[in-house]
Amino acid sequence: MSARQKFAFAVSSAAIIAAGAVSANDSELTIFDWAGYEDPGFFQAYIDEHGEAPTFAYFGDEEEAFQKLRSGFQADASHPCSQSVPKWIEAGLLEPIDTTRIDRWDELEPGFRDIEAYKKDGESYFVPIDWGNTAVIYNTELLTEEGVASLQAFADPANEGRISIGDNVDDAYALAFLAIGVTDWTKATDEEFAAASDFLRKVHPNVRAYWSDGSSLAQLMQSGEVYLAWAWNETYSTMSGEGHPIAIKRDTEEGASSWVCGYTKLADGQGSDDKFYDFINAWLEPVSAEYIVTAWGYGHSNAEAMNALPEETLTAVGLQTSDKLRENTLWQAPLPFELREKMIAEFELIKAGF
């Protein structure tokens, strides 16, 4: 899928969400997911085996998904990110993963796979799948690299009405904690949380729009309405691939953020266990890893498959790494429950202008 086709695909997916519909295929497996992840390039081996894709239902963010599942919505699998997993486990939404049925479990990046917060009573509840960066994305015709050397650019009154950050509490607070010098948010004090919230309040008047998906942000940046964004590397990969004057800067004075998301098995799922594991195994194939990197600009949890890709391929989509980049990265690790709940409540107030 070309970058242009991918953009059209994301727009189509957003329309599906707006209509409240689902992508209905295999009735024995329903995936509750982010829009776009129904792309067959991610799990072609499943389609080859079963003749059709799973059925997909969509959510806009993880808190929406959490509340919907708590209210009785039924699916067989879902796709939260790392910081939400402990909350979902404790709420009883998930059931353990049988890792012996995952063919490439030993090939997964241990730093993603073996986090204790994804386990309970010695059992794993999370299969890491995709990862990426949230970083500065900017229009090179309207801003210089020097102009985005610091994350303080997001709060600079000179950029009033010309920036966008995600309508996503985790990415927003990753920006805010980095901006005040915190790279490990799991150890944030009450004073640091207050300072991060104050930073977001300074950013709010500069926000043209809080983007909800990559396609809406791309439209804002293509039109020139927004020239500076805090966004996933997909935006850089897609827009630069289409020839737009877009750059990514992960080495700001304060750094950037990284995250990992993956699949969970839902406790109330009524579908086929065999098909759930077939779906996961298809996702972990090396061909799926290559596809998500080259077509979407995201990383894959299969470390062996990622190591087999050329360095220039990773650099082209903003996934390259170095000791310096790692040192200044806020890893969106699972958070203490109380801090995450405070972040959710405070971010809603900030977006409302309070």
Side-chain angles (χ1 to χ4, degrees):
M1 182 183 291
S2 70
R4 189 170 300 279
Q5 288 172 321
K6 184 175 70 174
F7 177 75
F9 188 87
V11 172
S12 175
S13 297
I16 290 172
I17 289 178
V22 297
S23 172
N25 290 292
D26 191 335
S27 62
E28 293 187 324
L29 185 67
T30 299
I31 313 294
F32 193 30
D33 216 328
W34 306 88
Y37 281 87
E38 70 274 31
D39 185 336
F42 295 141
F43 48 85
Q44 185 61 49
Y46 180 95
I47 298 173
D48 292 343
E49 181 173 356
H50 297 289
E52 59 183 345
T55 290
F56 282 84
Y58 305 102
F59 57 81
D61 61 45
E62 291 158 88
E63 189 62 18
E64 174 197 335
F66 177 79
Q67 296 300 337
K68 193 168 182 179
L69 290 168
R70 286 281 300 269
S71 298
F73 179 80
Q74 286 194 332
D76 302 307
S78 194
H79 194 169
C81 297
S82 58
Q83 56 276 12
S84 296
V85 174
K87 177 179 177 178
W88 289 35
I89 294 173
E90 292 306 315
L93 297 180
L94 309 181
E95 66 177 60
I97 301 290
D98 183 353
T99 61
T100 67
R101 300 188 65 178
I102 299 178
D103 299 339
R104 297 180 182 272
W105 183 255
D106 291 340
E107 297 176 18
L108 302 186
E109 168 57 50
F112 298 154
R113 183 193 62 205
D114 298 336
I115 292 175
E116 285 302 313
Y118 305 154
K119 300 177 183 179
K120 185 177 182 180
D121 299 328
E123 296 187 286
S124 296
Y125 284 76
F126 180 70
V127 183
I129 290 287
D130 54 319
W131 61 270
N133 303 303
T134 308
V136 168
I137 310 290
Y138 67 101
N139 185 316
T140 57
E141 292 182 345
L142 301 175
L143 288 174
T144 65
E145 185 174 8
E146 291 75 17
V148 296
S150 168
L151 298 181
Q152 300 303 319
F154 286 93
D156 188 338
N159 295 323
E160 182 177 359
R162 304 300 298 278
I163 76 167
S164 184
I165 66 175
D167 191 3
N168 177 311
V169 64
D170 302 299
D171 283 329
Y173 269 94
L175 167 65
F177 277 120
L178 280 166
I180 65 165
V182 173
T183 55
D184 184 352
W185 65 3
T186 67
K187 299 177 181 177
T189 65
D190 289 344
E191 291 75 16
E192 287 169 337
F193 170 71
S197 300
D198 287 344
F199 178 80
L200 289 177
R201 285 190 168 86
K202 294 176 182 176
V203 170
H204 178 70
N206 291 349
V207 174
R208 181 81 171 194
Y210 289 93
W211 60 266
S212 58
D213 57 75
S215 60
S216 63
L217 176 59
Q219 290 175 320
L220 288 168
M221 298 199 77
Q222 287 172 16
S223 70
E225 292 178 72
V226 165
Y227 55 49
L228 172 62
W230 181 246
W232 304 327
N233 45 289
E234 175 203 347
T235 298
Y236 164 69
S237 174
T238 301
M239 295 190 67
S240 62
E242 292 178 335
H244 297 287
I246 296 296
I248 185 171
K249 185 168 179 63
R250 293 169 55 203
D251 60 344
T252 65
E253 293 173 11
E254 301 89 350
S257 182
S258 65
W259 44 265
V260 62
C261 304
Y263 283 104
T264 55
K265 196 171 190 296
L266 294 173
D268 292 336
Q270 303 297 307
S272 166
D273 282 358
D274 290 342
K275 288 186 175 181
F276 169 80
Y277 288 104
D278 288 344
F279 177 76
I280 297 299
N281 286 325
W283 248 106
L284 298 181
E285 289 288 327
V287 66
S288 299
E290 181 178 4
Y291 181 75
I292 198 171
V293 171
T294 57
W296 286 81
Y298 292 145
H300 195 279
S301 64
N302 187 327
E304 290 189 15
M306 289 292 292
N307 289 337
L309 295 176
E311 184 67 24
E312 56 267 26
T313 298
L314 302 179
T315 300
V317 295
L319 291 176
Q320 78 279 16
T321 190
S322 68
D323 290 341
K324 182 178 180 181
L325 286 172
R326 282 191 290 268
E327 181 181 346
N328 288 330
T329 294
L330 185 148
W331 153 238
Q332 292 187 24
L335 283 162
F337 176 80
E338 296 79 7
L339 176 56
R340 181 164 169 77
E341 292 303 300
K342 286 199 302 183
M343 285 165 49
I344 291 169
E346 197 71 7
F347 189 47
E348 291 303 314
L349 289 174
I350 290 166
K351 290 188 295 179
F354 295 104

